[in-house]
Structure formats: structure tokens, C-alpha cells
Amino acid sequence: MAQAGAAGFITDAKQVSGQEVRSGEGYYRADGNWLVYQAEVAGENPFYQIYLKNLANENVQQISPGIGKTTCSWVHPSQEKVLFSSTHDDPEAKAKMVAEIEQRKSGQRRAYAWDYDEFYDIYEADFEGKNIKNLTNTKGYDAEASWSPDGKLIAFASNRRAYSEPLTEEETALFNNNPSSLIDIYIMDADGSNVKRLTHTNRYDGGPFFSPDGKRIVWRRFSENGQEAEIFTMNIDGSDQKQLTRLNKMSWAPFYHPSNQYIIFAANVEGHRNFELYVVDVDSKKEPVRVTEEEGFDGLPVFTPDGQYITWTSDRTPDKKGHLFHGKWNHEKALESLGLK
């Protein structure tokens, strides 16, 4: 069970996006001067696109081409490059945009479901959204990518083996029922070469991020029924896989604090749709501690590179649409609550 946290982990919280229809999943460059995020804006494309904000002057540059769907961006730690996943090379991308707009106009509500589009590939682009390069160019869902702290490696999630390798009857049935069941964590060189599979389960392993020292990866692993997920860490070669949470809930979107002492993540312990933020020490010696106390969705948390602030996605807005929020982080309180000082 998670521990009931107290107020004071996050102070001076405020919404930092709002011009977009919705926005979220923001990540900082290592120098703290740039924020990359995904947003839906009014126009011909109803899906998320990738944007880069210069935090010094608040200027925003669209990075992705504007066609198809995008997700999971990251900023290179030292070079002026952005990493993201996109379906813009899908021949049917524009038709799917039109179909989505028409579906929304119809007023028919659909249950939320993530799209493991087989046309998702991982791309890099410069800070102007130019010189776009496909780093994966493989059929299947290639997404959820991030650079290592030194920029030499990329960790990502993919179900490519479902399209390129022989499957057992069980695996075929699993994949046909749920394409995420064959998603594993992979690692590759920054140019897309030397791809290596790190996890070997018939469950959804995804959302990998490197530890601040670049020695480990944190990710979340779904249960067989896809209704629960737990937080894990491992060495970057796939060895020493450790389970950090045992909440038997949907625990996901883990992210290291720059101190390398604890990990923050989101979980729906308080109710199916009520995602809150929690922290757990990297050795999982204590139960996770609750950080937020708001009805609705609080998730996708990240720390600023100096560890003094936190940015996350929340629907604590009047229209209940997700937006980026930002607040002061109490590192000392986190250490105390986890018995780390």
C-alpha cells in the first residue's frame, strides 16, 4: 500500500499552458532552457503535434510536420535536436485526420484508448523543425523514446517483433487482441544503429527513461490483463531488473529525480480515473508516498534539471482538458517522507 502523503510537496502550482486545446508531456533540456511538449491546437489536425518552447523568451516553435499523430518527445542534452514519434509518413495520415475530425463532430463519445499505430516511427529534427530524420524506419509501433544523459543512446518501446519475427500461437492471439502486449523496451545508438531488445515478456513494457547517471532505465510493466502496471528499473544492458512498486493499480510514467535518490510516478490508487503523483525510493525500501491530492488526472511528471521544480500534466482545469502545470518541488520533504535523511 502507498503511504498517505501530506501537503507541501508542491507549492505555487500554476498552469503554464493554455493557448492550446490541450497539452501535456513536457520534458526539459539538460540546461533547463528549453521545454518540449505535445499539444493539440485548433486547425486541420485534431491530433497532438510537438512543440519546443524557449523558456528565456517564451517563443514556441512547432517541431513536427503537422501531419498525422505524434507522441513522446525529448530534447538532446547538448545538441539542438528534438526526438519524437510520428505517423506523418503514413500514406493515409491525412485521411485519418479528416476521419477523426468528423467523428468528433458527430458527438459520439468513445472510451479513451491509446493508439499503437504501426506507422509510428522515431524521428529527430533540429530546433526549427527541419532536417527531419527517421531513426527507426521499421513497421510497428516505435515510440516512447528518450536520449541518454550523454546523448549517445536512445531507449524506446516497440512491438516491431510482431511484424518481423515468427510468433507462437499464443503470441499471435495476444497481439491480435491487444497490440500493446508485445511491446518491449529497446535500446539503440543515437543514429538508430545497434538496436538491442532489453525486455522479453508478453506484457507491455514501455515508457523508458534513463537515470541521471545514465546507468539504469526506469519503466513500467503492465499486467497480463492490461489493467494494472508497476514500476521497474534495470541496467541499460537489460540486467538486474527490479520491481519498485506493488500497488496492484495502474502505476506508470516514472521519472527519476536528478538526485538519483527517488522516482516520481502516477497511479490510480484513489480511484480508477483519479491519478495522483507518488514518489518511491530507488531501492524500494519504503512504500510509495502520495504527492498530490486533487480529483481527476495528475500524471506524466518531470523535474527540472536542477531538481527544484516539477512540471506535470493535469486536468484540474475548468474544462477538464489536460494542460501543463508547474510548481516548486520540496526535495527535503521527499527525502524525509522516504526515510532518505
Side-chain angles (χ1 to χ4, degrees), residues 120-164:
Y120 266 119
D121 271 320
I122 298 169
Y123 298 82
E124 67 173 32
D126 62 27
F127 277 16
E128 301 297 320
K130 299 177 181 178
N131 297 310
I132 296 177
K133 180 182 178 182
N134 188 333
L135 298 178
T136 50
N137 201 25
T138 301
K139 189 175 182 180
Y141 173 81
D142 292 313
E144 305 170 25
S146 60
W147 273 297
S148 58
D150 61 8
K152 295 181 179 179
L153 299 170
I154 294 173
F156 66 101
S158 177
N159 62 4
R160 57 178 56 199
R161 69 187 180 97
Y163 298 89
S164 60

Side-chain angles (χ1 to χ4, degrees), residues 81-101:
K81 295 195 297 187
V82 173
L83 196 66
F84 64 97
S85 289
S86 176
T87 66
H88 65 265
D89 282 330
D90 176 3
E92 300 297 318
K94 290 186 177 180
K96 291 176 181 178
M97 289 161 52
V98 172
E100 177 68 17
I101 290 174

Side-chain angles (χ1 to χ4, degrees), residues 248-263:
N248 298 316
K249 298 292 183 178
M250 184 62 72
S251 300
W252 65 297
F255 197 87
Y256 277 93
H257 185 267
S259 67
N260 210 23
Q261 293 176 285
Y262 56 89
I263 289 162

